[in-house]
Amino acid sequence: MSPKQKRLIFGVLAVLLAVVIAVLYRRYVWNSPDATLSWTRGATTYVLRSPRLLGLLLVAPVFLLILPRSLADLPWQQQMLSLGLRLAFVAALALALSRVARTERAEHVYTVFLVDVSDSVSPESIAEATRSLKQFLGARRKDDRTRVITFARRPRLVEMDEMATEPPVLARHDADATTHFGAGTNLQAALQLAYGLFPPGYLRHAVLFSDGVETDGDLLAEANRAEKLGVKLFTVPYRGAIPGEVAIQRMRLPDHVKVGEAFEIHADVYASRAGQAKALLYQGEALNGLDGARTLTLVPGVNDVVFKSVVRVGGEVTYRLELAPLGEDKFQENNRVAETIDVPGRPSVLYVEGEPTRASPLASGLDRQGFDVDVRAPSSFPGSLRELERYDFLIVSDVPAEQISLSSQELIESYLRELGGGFLFAGGPNGYGPGGWYHTTIERILPVRMDAERRKDMPSVAMSLAIDRSGSMTGLPMEMAKQAARATVDALSADDLIEVIAFDSTPTRYVKMQPARNRSRIENDIARIQAGGGTEIFPALDAAYQDLSVVQARKKHVILLTDGRASSSGIRDLVQAMAAESITVTTVGLGAEVDDQLLSLIKDFGGGRYHKVPDPGSLPKIFTREAEMIAKSSVTLDYFPMKQVAPADFLRGIDVATAPLLSGYTATKMKAWPAQEILVNADHDDPLLARWRVGLGYALAWTSDVKARWAGDLARWSGWPQFWGQLVHEHMRQKRRSELPMKTDVFGGTAHAVVDAFDADDRFDNNLESKLTVQGPLPGGASTTVMLRQTAPGRYEASFPLDRYGSFVLRAEHRRHTEDDRVVPVAVSYGHVSNPYPPEYASFEPNLGLLSRAAETTGGARDPEPAAAFDPAGASVTFHQDLWPRFVGAAIVLLVLDLLVRRVRLFDRKFLPKTRTA
Amino acid sequence: MHFYGLPGSTLIAIGAAGAVAIVSLYVLKLRRRPVPVPFVRIWQRILREKEATSLFSQLKRLLSLLVQLALLALLVLALGDPRGFASNKARNVVVLVDASASMKAVDVASALNPNYARIDAAKDEVKRLVRGLGGSDRMLIAQMDAGVTPLSTMTGEVADLDQAVSLVRATDSRADFPRALRFAADVLLGLSSPEIVIVSDGNLGEPRDAAGEVHLGQVAVSFVPIGKGGRNIAITGFSVRRYPLDRDRYEVMLDLYNASKEPEEIELNLLGDGNFVDVTKLKLNPGERLPRFYPNLSGARRTLEATIKPVSGGHDDLPADDHAYALLPDQRRIRVLCVTRGNTYLEASLLLTTYLDVTYVAPSDYPVKAQSFDVTIFDDVTPPVAEGSGSVFYLDPSGESSPVKVDPAPLVNVGFDTLDKKSPFLRWTAVDDVYVGRAHRLIPEPGDKVIGASEKGALLLTGRRAGRRFLALGFNPKDSDFVLRIAWPLFVLNVLTEFVAEDPSYLSSFRTGEVWHVAVPTLSDEVWLSAPGAPSPKRVPVQDGRAVYLGLDAGFYTLEAGPRGAAVKSEFAANLADADESAIEPVAALTVDGKTTGAVEGFHVGVRSEWWIALLLLAVAITTVEWATYHRRITV
């Protein structure tokens, strides 16, 4: 064969070899979906763990290409042999680099011991675990390995030699009260940490020493995964003597408690041994009335302790049970439990009355209709929406505007708009315009305006100013009094009547009763007033009374200004007579020497106000305000019947036509639709009762009063309680319109609430917007809000973490968007959950069932013999035994052989001549 | 440097033996072939050249020997498996690989590999990290889904870590990020240079659970973000419930979600028992969640499925949440025992419903042995209640076995003057004007609830005796015009359905990623669970009559309770149903323990600590060159 032919043949062979290797490599290695390649031969499986490095074989054709150009002085047989050896050498290295391995079976066991050192485990039990661990380690076979993990809330790997025969020190975890690391047991986390310790090539065993009381995680669920991961679990329950312990595991209250109805409270009290304990049950802050203190005789195990109780007033009621064990008790945390329930009480009404002593007609009427009525003076108005939320209906009656602050007025608006409360604004001498409510928040939310037009047939106001001109008034007081009188004239309308009487021991009419339009003449007359003389009030008041009693006006008012003391003789009778003719009297006391008692008496009987003024400079302001208040008021004191002008459900069964007459009201004007006029003054068609919606709630305006002053006859009417009862019922906050049952539970520190909603036809109620308010821990805990998510037709669910210990009340508001884009309340749900203390302190008996089931699920067993923890029980594990060192060793041999072939002539030792072809 | 392979003495022995062999072979002189050369001058010239180059020949010979010895040294050294020096700064790294459902998104796919998902990209990233480990670094790879599963030990073995990476598999559940972080912190406790690497698309939620926020102390946390798109439409809720009264009908709720930033048009298919029930085309705005209800459905007996797909032009990166499953609760027939001497009106009312199994017995034949019933109706008889009788409905009870005391003095010409109209026993009935010719006053005990009463006393009340519910009607319906009204069969139906209410805790589907407590149909503790796609059922533990299982995959499951071969089968369904998981827009950075995680640092891809690989690669290179030089006589 010529060299050229030789090169050609070897070249072709090299190309063929390259193509074959490339195709096989691409097909079986490069495009393989698996990261490894494996094949089985006999009972052995071989695997290439980095098969891509087999690509080194692609250098093999290079050796072929070079061979025909060889200058080596070797017979062709030896050259071919050398080529084979060199290819084998490269193949051996390629296989080594591709990490050829074979699966081997082994029966070595790697056992991880998991030792519970949580707070619920006694020192005796830990000592028992140490002794037991020593026995287990003593049963370890030569090739087996072990590790130890201790755990409470979290697991920790204990430093020790894998071949140790002595157990390590089993220390408790941090029992710091703030971190509560020891106050929990997470068996699942311990097992998961163990998974990361098992090396390849070992059977995986875990031995769990525990009481099986888990507070976090789920061992059974993890047991499934352990079995899947090939971990066989053995469990060794702690059986050491349980220390003396008394614990309240749970307090059970009925789901529904009614006011006034006795019920039972059950408490599950665990005792590790027989003994006694003193139990105190609190309802709120006071001992439970029916059954508050008791000495319990406890038997080992769970004792069902029953208390009787009754709730007298609706609302949130917190029960707290405290135990004082009379014997050994290891943990104090579990001796106290609180539960709160929401007891639906009677609907509650807050009645804010300007004259609380006169509140009884309405308060007693509502009480008879089944309402809890809380009568308060304006000064006790609730300071927060939260406090106002407790009430279903709010009545503000005959209260001057200055006694209800702006912030309180805004609270009322929020109460209506956001909470859906009902609000009735009742009149009286201090209601509406006379009370200074004009242009206030209250006027804005009421369905009537307070700037009612005056009636044309008579002057609105007739006012008499009785000004003390005694000697003590000389100087600035007198000048300021005159300025106040002039300001009063300016404040009145042209048709209003005014007179000015200056008095010392006798009264003098400086300005006779005349229309206020004669301003310049009146002011000139006022300027003539001179100080001097004593002080006698009676004659001045009498003169004013005489003058006012003969004039026609809707409002007759006297302002009495004095700076000294005078005889009170006859004044009381005089003022009463004036009041009988609807003449009101306001008194102004200037300086410190005034007779407060007398002026207050005049005010009380005169139905006006008493202003005590230390500085004469403020007199004009006071007079002006009085004038405006009187002038703008449109109180009508006249007997009139009421008339129904629009249908209203709450008037069903009530014949208002037969109701007694009212004797006064404040004229107002209806606002535009949707304000609705229900009742009117039958004589003048002025609004008497009107209503409209404000946000979610109702605002009602009652322009007469709700007490004996103007509604005295009506209050004696048999329909009075029913009228107000039905009115309040229809317009009060509808928080209990419908109640959907709520189910709650707590697991692993997370509370879960479920509400099932059905409509009236027992169909699923969908698309509710449900908001859950969680308040706690009670008393006084913060409120958080979570949304209930609809998870199925008619089903709404929410989960939230309970990161504090105590009792929590849950309140869900269910609302719906209407077609006209309003949000209306549909129903409410109530529930309560309790997370009294770390569950670690709740149970001390070993949970044998859990430990057995978990072990059985993985193929292990409870209470194994020490040898069982290392017994492969016929099982074996396959693992990869790396073969690459063998291939490197083979390569060394091949290297030497190749050298031998090169250095020693093995063929053609006699140098036979080459045969030539012809 | 440390040797992890053969012992040093063995290496020295092998090396020495090999070296001796090689040197010995080089000492041997290859016997050259005699070549007759006819031309003397040429031969003389060759001999002259040989003298001139003899020194060079010696050098070539020596060089050749050195090359062979070098090859031998490389191989012997490789056998020793040398590693770098251990360092105090050796890192201990826990890699948490997100295997939640969002990692099935194929937004990272290419035209060449259309099935390349985020989980594949995550695995590739982890492989790069493994390749970049330092000489003394150790790593543990854990899969993070609803649980956390370590797939390797804390090791520096690349092969073991590669094997762990290959085991990572995306599930249909959300990732429990706090649990995974707490696990990593447990593993790294007390180790040097602890570090957590999170390989995820970042949709992990807040690292906070019921125990509070996760605190990692000095553990460094870095983040390898995966994913690049976020176009996804999903079914985030699918459930079905039978109506409480009309059990033949049911209502389905579907929750659809468009997690994309563009509006999507979708086709929604609803299937019952594999047949199409409804096909709808919908348009969802960006971020829109759309609940849909299908009321008053009937037809399907067991299974319901819903699927969505984008209509032409649409796109969906995560198909895993496009399919949902639900099972209707079993429509179990109510077993009713009617103890009567014959009552046409009662029998007629019991014929009106299809889901009753009614057994009639004469009073003398009661109790019926070896049978149990859901409800027993005592018609004008009041025998002692036997075991297995279920709840009891008394018509005109009397005698000592009556659950309530009965006033023997008859009431004549009475009716219901007060009624609890909210009582479920009186749903949809109008009985205000029922005329009763003759009745007996029932005297309730504490805890009993009076549902209807005349002015003279209670006529209808309910309560519980010895744990058994009962309802007592204080007159024989035949003595009234009740039986002539439409309210009568409704009343009987109400009584039966109220006594045998559907299990309120029934779930038409479980959520993946949660521990399921599935009701076991028998009392057996031997329960086998077949998961969708699983080759064989596996045994699961039972606690309080419920099988406990942490489910990670959506689909239909089959539960077999009892000995194999005689097991009672039941089914249930599971869905992802998690809008947060369906919002697959990748997150660029994570915040853990109040700190923003950084990018991974210090992982430099190289041959790392496994120097034997480099040594062998070098050996291959040398032997290739040496082959060429030998045959061209550059070396000898």
Side-chain angles (χ1 to χ4, degrees):
Chain A
M1 189 186 299
S2 70
K4 196 172 180 180
Q5 287 175 318
K6 200 174 172 182
R7 282 199 294 273
L8 182 66
I9 290 171
F10 273 86
V12 170
L13 283 174
V15 170
L16 277 176
L17 183 62
V19 169
V20 168
I21 292 173
V23 168
L24 291 176
Y25 183 75
R26 178 180 165 78
R27 180 170 179 183
Y28 292 108
V29 179
W30 194 259
N31 288 340
S32 170
D34 300 321
T36 60
L37 284 182
S38 61
W39 69 96
T40 302
R41 183 162 176 261
T44 308
T45 300
Y46 295 89
V47 62
L48 296 180
R49 299 168 75 184
S50 299
R52 291 196 172 189
L53 281 175
L54 278 180
L56 284 174
L57 290 174
L58 285 168
V59 303
V62 176
F63 297 96
L64 269 176
L65 282 175
I66 291 172
L67 197 60
R69 292 173 175 79
S70 175
L71 300 177
D73 181 26
L74 288 174
W76 67 270
Q77 298 95 327
Q78 244 175 286
Q79 285 195 12
M80 294 309 292
L81 185 57
S82 175
L83 173 68
L85 287 170
R86 188 53 62 105
L87 289 178
F89 177 80
V90 171
L93 293 186
L95 284 168
L97 284 166
S98 62
R99 289 173 175 272
V100 65
R102 72 176 172 203
T103 55
E104 290 285 336
R105 302 201 73 79
E107 295 185 345
H108 313 317
V109 178
Y110 199 97
T111 304
V112 179
F113 294 94
L114 310 164
V115 186
D116 185 350
V117 293
S118 62
D119 286 358
S120 65
V121 176
S122 66
E124 293 79 15
S125 293
I126 294 179
E128 174 193 328
T130 305
R131 286 192 298 275
S132 190
L133 194 52
K134 184 176 172 60
Q135 291 178 348
F136 274 95
L137 293 177
R140 185 177 61 77
R141 300 175 305 162
K142 182 186 168 193
D143 295 324
D144 298 335
R145 301 284 184 275
T146 59
R147 301 296 291 272
V148 174
I149 289 172
T150 57
F151 67 93
R153 174 174 280 180
R154 302 302 311 169
R156 287 180 189 172
L157 181 63
V158 179
E159 283 290 329
M160 68 172 283
D161 182 10
E162 292 181 333
M163 310 285 281
T165 54
E166 288 296 318
V169 176
L170 302 176
R172 285 190 190 276
H173 293 187
D174 183 5
D176 184 347
T178 56
T179 56
H180 290 289
F181 280 146
T185 306
N186 194 333
L187 305 169
Q188 185 178 21
L191 199 49
Q192 285 177 340
L193 184 63
Y195 298 156
L197 300 177
F198 295 115
Y202 285 85
L203 290 166
R204 301 171 166 198
H205 286 188
V207 182
L208 172 66
F209 294 89
S210 174
D211 54 10
V213 178
E214 56 180 347
T215 61
D216 303 289
D218 193 320
L219 178 64
L220 276 188
E222 195 58 40
N224 280 318
R225 283 154 49 81
E227 190 269 340
K228 190 175 175 183
L229 294 169
V231 179
K232 189 184 275 190
L233 177 68
F234 299 90
T235 55
V236 183
Y238 287 139
R239 287 201 172 82
I242 299 167
E245 181 59 44
V246 176
I248 309 170
Q249 291 186 330
R250 198 163 56 127
M251 185 159 64
R252 287 171 284 143
L253 298 165
D255 290 336
H256 296 284
V257 172
K258 290 182 179 174
V259 171
E261 199 171 84
F263 63 95
E264 290 182 342
I265 297 172
H266 291 256
D268 293 343
V269 179
Y270 168 81
S272 61
R273 54 189 67 159
Q276 288 193 316
K278 191 172 180 184
L280 297 174
L281 179 67
Y282 292 89
Q283 187 190 56
E285 295 303 314
L287 272 179
N288 179 39
L290 287 187
D291 198 2
R294 198 194 299 176
T295 300
L296 308 176
T297 301
L298 302 171
V299 297
V302 178
N303 298 261
D304 182 14
V305 182
V306 184
F307 296 87
K308 283 197 180 309
S309 185
V310 65
V311 176
R312 302 289 180 196
V313 181
E316 287 172 4
V317 183
T318 299
Y319 282 93
R320 191 174 80 249
L321 178 61
E322 293 182 0
L323 283 187
L326 301 176
E328 189 187 351
D329 186 35
K330 185 179 177 189
F331 298 111
Q332 306 303 312
E333 292 88 341
N334 53 21
N335 293 342
R336 180 184 157 123
V337 158
E339 282 278 1
T340 303
I341 49 171
D342 202 327
V343 182
R346 302 198 305 174
S348 57
V349 177
L350 175 61
Y351 177 13
V352 180
E353 173 58 60
E355 298 172 294
T357 54
R358 293 185 160 192
S360 63
L362 180 59
S364 61
L366 289 174
D367 182 62
R368 271 184 279 163
Q369 289 290 308
F371 293 92
D372 285 331
V373 184
D374 183 3
V375 179
R376 293 190 186 187
S379 57
S380 303
F381 193 87
S384 67
L385 195 60
R386 181 177 163 76
E387 194 182 344
L388 200 54
E389 188 186 4
R390 293 172 50 209
Y391 300 97
D392 302 300
F393 197 82
L394 169 65
I395 299 170
V396 174
S397 163
D398 199 16
V399 178
E402 64 260 26
Q403 293 186 22
I404 301 286
S405 66
L406 281 177
S407 61
S408 297
Q409 293 181 40
E410 283 165 6
L411 278 184
I412 294 173
E413 185 174 9
S414 301
Y415 173 69
L416 265 72
R417 288 192 186 282
E418 296 165 20
L419 302 183
F423 172 55
L424 174 75
F425 187 80
N430 291 308
Y432 296 94
W437 292 100
Y438 187 56
H439 280 325
T440 60
T441 302
I442 296 299
E443 193 203 22
R444 183 158 50 78
I445 62 176
L446 286 178
V448 296
R449 292 201 330 250
M450 298 181 187
D451 55 341
E453 291 174 5
R454 296 172 185 175
R455 291 174 51 203
K456 307 287 186 192
D457 54 349
M458 66 172 72
S460 176
V461 171
M463 186 172 279
S464 176
L465 307 182
I467 298 172
D468 186 349
R469 67 180 187 97
S470 61
S472 58
M473 290 287 287
T474 306
L476 180 63
M478 192 70 244
E479 289 308 312
M480 296 312 295
K482 288 194 278 189
Q483 191 176 330
R486 283 193 288 270
T488 306
V489 176
D490 290 340
L492 293 176
S493 301
D495 293 333
D496 292 336
L497 303 175
I498 188 166
E499 74 168 351
V500 180
I501 300 171
F503 67 92
D504 45 23
S505 52
T506 56
T508 306
R509 290 182 178 83
Y510 278 86
V511 177
K512 292 182 180 172
M513 189 67 75
Q514 57 188 287
R517 71 168 65 89
N518 308 323
R519 295 183 198 282
S520 58
R521 193 169 69 199
I522 292 169
E523 285 175 6
N524 287 337
D525 291 343
I526 290 171
R528 292 190 295 108
I529 300 173
Q530 296 293 324
T535 304
E536 281 296 339
I537 294 174
F538 181 85
L541 275 181
D542 187 49
Y545 171 48
Q546 298 299 334
D547 295 343
L548 286 171
S549 62
V550 297
V551 298
Q552 288 272 325
R554 293 177 62 202
K555 179 73 182 173
K556 299 172 184 179
H557 190 62
V558 177
I559 301 177
L560 171 66
L561 167 65
T562 181
D563 68 342
R565 293 176 174 273
S567 166
S568 62
S569 173
I571 289 180
R572 177 176 173 162
D573 294 337
L574 175 62
V575 176
Q576 280 183 328
M578 293 169 80
E581 295 196 30
S582 300
I583 299 170
T584 54
V585 183
T586 288
T587 55
V588 181
L590 180 62
E593 300 299 320
V594 294
D595 185 348
D596 282 337
Q597 198 172 355
L598 175 63
L599 297 182
S600 294
L601 181 142
I602 296 172
K603 178 265 296 185
D604 288 341
F605 285 95
R609 287 153 289 281
Y610 168 43
H611 304 279
K612 186 169 182 180
V613 185
D615 174 19
S618 56
L619 284 175
K621 187 178 168 188
I622 290 173
F623 273 60
T624 305
R625 201 169 72 185
E626 275 289 315
E628 284 178 350
M629 200 175 286
I630 299 302
K632 287 181 179 169
S633 80
S634 26
V635 172
T636 300
L637 299 175
D638 199 3
Y639 283 94
F640 66 91
M642 54 185 178
K643 182 175 75 176
Q644 184 176 352
V645 293
D649 284 350
F650 73 91
L651 289 175
R652 203 168 39 194
I654 300 172
D655 185 3
V656 294
T658 63
L661 304 183
L662 291 158
S663 64
Y665 76 106
T666 307
T668 56
K669 195 172 179 184
M670 284 299 298
K671 289 182 181 174
W673 188 87
Q676 185 188 16
E677 195 175 30
I678 310 286
L679 296 175
V680 295
N681 176 338
D683 294 340
H684 301 294
D685 287 342
D686 282 340
L688 181 61
L689 177 65
R691 70 178 176 187
W692 71 355
R693 269 203 172 275
V694 177
L696 299 175
Y698 271 108
L700 297 100
W702 172 257
T703 60
S704 184
D705 73 1
V706 288
K707 47 197 178 184
R709 188 189 302 275
W710 295 344
D713 294 339
L714 196 69
R716 288 187 286 277
W717 175 46
S718 61
W720 170 265
Q722 187 184 2
F723 175 82
W724 290 112
Q726 292 185 182
L727 181 144
V728 172
H729 252 299
E730 182 167 323
H731 301 99
M732 70 181 185
R733 193 150 69 103
Q734 298 298 315
K735 67 178 180 183
R736 294 186 177 90
R737 180 173 290 165
S738 174
E739 186 173 333
L740 299 174
M742 179 192 293
K743 288 181 182 167
T744 56
D745 60 28
V746 180
F747 185 77
T750 298
H752 188 61
V754 181
V755 174
D756 273 320
F758 296 89
D759 63 15
D761 296 330
D762 266 3
R763 297 272 157 166
F764 303 115
D765 205 349
N766 298 319
N767 287 322
L768 295 181
E769 183 184 292
S770 299
K771 194 165 64 176
L772 178 68
T773 303
V774 183
Q775 190 192 353
L778 296 173
S783 285
T784 53
T785 300
V786 291
M787 297 304 294
L788 282 155
R789 197 173 71 87
Q790 183 166 10
T791 57
R795 176 163 292 175
Y796 302 82
E797 297 183 56
S799 294
F800 49 91
L802 292 177
D803 48 7
R804 285 168 295 171
Y805 296 110
S807 173
F808 300 79
V809 288
L810 315 180
R811 194 171 299 149
E813 294 272 350
H814 308 284
R815 302 178 177 187
R816 186 191 306 286
H817 282 273
T818 60
E819 289 180 356
D820 54 351
D821 209 24
R822 286 188 301 121
V823 180
V824 294
V826 174
V828 291
S829 300
Y830 300 95
H832 56 91
V833 292
S834 180
N835 191 29
Y837 49 78
E840 182 68 18
Y841 304 129
S843 183
F844 303 91
E845 302 283 351
N847 189 344
L848 299 178
L850 174 73
L851 295 175
S852 295
R853 277 190 289 272
E856 288 164 8
T857 302
T858 63
R862 202 187 78 196
D863 291 315
E865 291 296 320
F870 301 98
D871 181 6
S876 60
V877 64
T878 57
F879 68 97
H880 293 302
Q881 185 191 21
D882 274 328
L883 297 179
W884 67 263
R886 299 187 186 192
F887 282 86
V888 175
I892 293 173
V893 173
L894 288 168
L895 175 71
V896 175
L897 285 178
D898 186 24
L899 209 54
L900 176 72
V901 170
R902 287 188 193 179
R903 306 300 299 177
V904 179
R905 185 173 293 277
L906 302 176
F907 300 96
D908 193 20
R909 293 181 66 87
K910 295 178 180 176
F911 304 116
L912 295 176
K914 290 181 180 177
T915 56
R916 291 177 179 274
T917 54
Chain B
M1 185 164 64
H2 291 274
F3 290 92
Y4 289 78
L6 295 178
S9 55
T10 308
L11 292 178
I12 291 170
I14 294 173
V20 167
I22 290 170
V23 172
S24 302
L25 287 170
Y26 268 84
V27 170
L28 292 176
K29 201 168 182 181
L30 183 67
R31 189 178 167 201
R32 295 188 182 279
R33 182 212 307 255
V35 181
V37 179
F39 197 69
V40 175
R41 280 194 196 167
I42 293 174
W43 182 238
Q44 287 172 341
R45 200 179 76 190
I46 288 170
L47 288 177
R48 277 200 303 274
E49 285 176 358
K50 178 177 167 52
E51 287 167 4
T53 60
S54 61
L55 179 61
F56 182 63
S57 296
Q58 292 297 325
L59 284 175
K60 285 205 293 184
R61 191 179 173 82
L62 184 60
L63 176 64
S64 183
L65 172 63
L66 288 176
V67 168
Q68 300 299 342
L69 289 175
L71 272 174
L72 175 67
L74 289 173
L75 298 180
V76 171
L77 203 56
L79 274 177
D81 192 5
R83 306 279 176 95
F85 287 104
S87 165
N88 289 333
K89 292 183 178 178
R91 291 187 299 176
N92 289 280
V93 185
V94 173
V95 178
L96 299 174
V97 188
D98 184 358
S100 63
S102 62
M103 295 297 283
K104 290 184 174 179
V106 290
D107 55 324
V108 291
S110 61
L112 288 175
N113 193 353
N115 295 321
Y116 190 71
R118 287 182 183 181
I119 192 70
D120 301 313
K123 289 161 81 168
D124 288 345
E125 289 291 343
V126 179
K127 282 180 188 169
R128 271 191 278 276
L129 295 176
V130 172
R131 295 288 177 274
L133 277 177
S136 304
D137 294 349
R138 296 192 305 158
M139 180 183 277
L140 181 147
I141 295 171
Q143 171 165 322
M144 170 174 58
D145 43 50
V148 54
T149 309
L151 301 171
S152 72
T153 57
M154 184 65 85
T155 179
E157 290 293 331
V158 172
D160 291 344
L161 293 171
D162 278 346
Q163 176 68 15
V165 173
S166 70
L167 295 176
V168 173
R169 181 184 73 90
T171 64
D172 287 334
S173 70
R174 72 181 309 168
D176 192 338
F177 191 33
R179 182 192 295 268
L181 287 176
R182 290 190 196 282
F183 164 80
D186 293 338
V187 170
L188 295 169
L189 190 69
L191 299 182
S192 64
S193 303
E195 185 173 343
I196 298 172
V197 178
I198 301 158
V199 184
S200 166
D201 56 15
N203 293 307
L204 297 171
E206 288 292 313
R208 159 180 282 279
D209 55 15
E213 191 169 357
V214 179
H215 296 293
L216 297 173
Q218 299 302 312
V219 178
V221 184
S222 49
F223 173 49
V224 180
I226 303 291
K228 58 183 182 183
R231 210 162 161 193
N232 185 33
I233 49 174
I235 300 173
T236 54
F238 186 46
S239 54
V240 57
R241 294 180 81 180
R242 288 193 191 277
Y243 291 110
L245 286 184
D246 188 358
R247 294 183 181 193
D248 288 330
R249 295 183 174 274
Y250 50 87
E251 185 164 323
V252 170
M253 175 187 160
L254 261 169
D255 209 358
L256 304 173
Y257 178 40
N258 177 15
S260 313
K261 290 177 179 172
E262 297 91 24
E264 300 284 359
E265 284 190 50
I266 61 167
E267 181 182 299
L268 166 65
N269 297 321
L270 183 66
L271 296 91
D273 293 334
N275 303 314
F276 278 100
V277 174
D278 186 80
V279 179
T280 315
K281 286 192 176 173
L282 297 165
K283 185 173 183 182
L284 293 175
N285 292 319
E288 182 181 3
R289 293 190 65 166
L290 179 67
R292 283 184 66 83
F293 296 93
Y294 294 85
N296 282 317
L297 293 181
S298 61
R301 292 181 62 250
R302 275 309 272 164
T303 66
L304 285 166
E305 291 176 65
T307 61
I308 53 172
K309 61 182 179 184
V311 296
S312 56
H315 183 70
D316 189 18
D317 283 331
L318 182 61
D321 52 14
D322 295 346
H323 204 146
Y325 312 85
L327 273 179
L328 281 160
D330 274 333
Q331 197 176 3
R332 191 167 68 83
R333 297 167 72 85
I334 301 176
R335 294 161 299 180
V336 181
L337 174 65
C338 196
V339 185
T340 178
R341 299 184 186 90
N343 185 334
T344 307
Y345 302 106
L346 182 62
E347 291 168 17
S349 66
L350 294 173
L351 284 174
L352 292 178
T353 48
T354 58
Y355 57 90
L356 302 180
D357 277 337
V358 186
T359 304
Y360 294 94
V361 295
S364 56
D365 294 334
Y366 180 80
V368 180
K369 288 182 180 174
Q371 284 196 48
S372 63
F373 299 91
D374 299 308
V375 183
T376 298
I377 302 174
F378 290 126
D379 176 26
D380 207 15
V381 292
T382 318
V385 182
E387 283 300 313
S389 295
S391 301
V392 185
F393 177 26
Y394 292 94
L395 301 177
D396 199 14
S398 61
E400 287 186 357
S401 298
S402 169
V404 288
K405 286 185 181 173
V406 182
D407 187 350
L411 306 176
V412 181
N413 299 339
V414 293
F416 290 110
D417 297 312
T418 57
L419 281 169
D420 177 7
K421 291 185 177 176
K422 290 183 179 174
S423 168
F425 294 110
L426 296 180
R427 271 183 296 223
W428 302 330
T429 63
V431 294
D432 311 63
D433 55 348
V434 163
Y435 169 77
V436 183
R438 179 188 170 86
H440 290 93
R441 184 168 66 96
L442 305 175
I443 303 169
E445 292 182 7
D448 292 346
K449 185 173 184 184
V450 176
I451 296 170
S454 75
E455 287 180 343
K456 298 172 184 173
L459 296 179
L460 181 63
L461 63 81
T462 184
R464 195 176 282 272
R465 297 286 182 271
R468 177 181 289 115
R469 294 181 70 188
F470 75 92
L471 180 77
L473 184 65
F475 57 91
N476 191 322
K478 290 187 286 189
D479 294 336
S480 71
D481 63 358
F482 195 4
V483 292
L484 304 176
R485 296 161 179 261
I486 192 66
W488 167 247
L490 283 174
F491 172 68
V492 174
L493 177 65
N494 284 342
V495 173
L496 298 177
T497 52
E498 177 60 20
F499 279 156
V500 192
E502 178 192 327
D503 178 6
S505 62
Y506 176 80
L507 290 171
S508 58
S509 63
F510 290 89
R511 283 184 75 182
T512 54
E514 295 177 350
V515 177
W516 303 336
H517 294 85
V518 189
V520 177
T522 68
L523 295 176
S524 175
D525 274 354
E526 191 179 339
V527 173
W528 300 81
L529 183 71
S530 298
S536 60
K538 63 178 294 177
R539 188 165 179 181
V540 292
V542 177
Q543 187 178 37
D544 300 329
R546 290 178 180 268
V548 181
Y549 186 72
L550 173 63
L552 299 178
D553 298 306
F556 290 116
Y557 288 73
T558 304
L559 201 70
E560 296 175 66
R564 306 304 298 273
V568 178
K569 283 190 178 181
S570 64
E571 288 179 294
F572 63 92
N575 291 312
L576 171 61
D578 189 333
D580 292 337
E581 199 58 37
S582 293
I584 59 169
E585 183 76 25
V587 174
L590 290 176
T591 300
V592 179
D593 200 7
K595 291 172 279 191
T596 302
T597 56
V600 287
E601 291 177 353
F603 290 87
H604 304 293
V605 176
V607 190
R608 211 181 75 80
S609 59
E610 293 182 302
W611 293 353
W612 67 269
I613 296 175
L615 295 172
L616 294 191
L617 286 171
L618 186 60
V620 172
I622 290 174
T623 200
T624 307
V625 174
E626 191 273 343
W627 178 265
T629 56
Y630 170 75
H631 284 283
R632 298 308 298 171
R633 305 299 295 164
I634 299 169
T635 56
V636 294

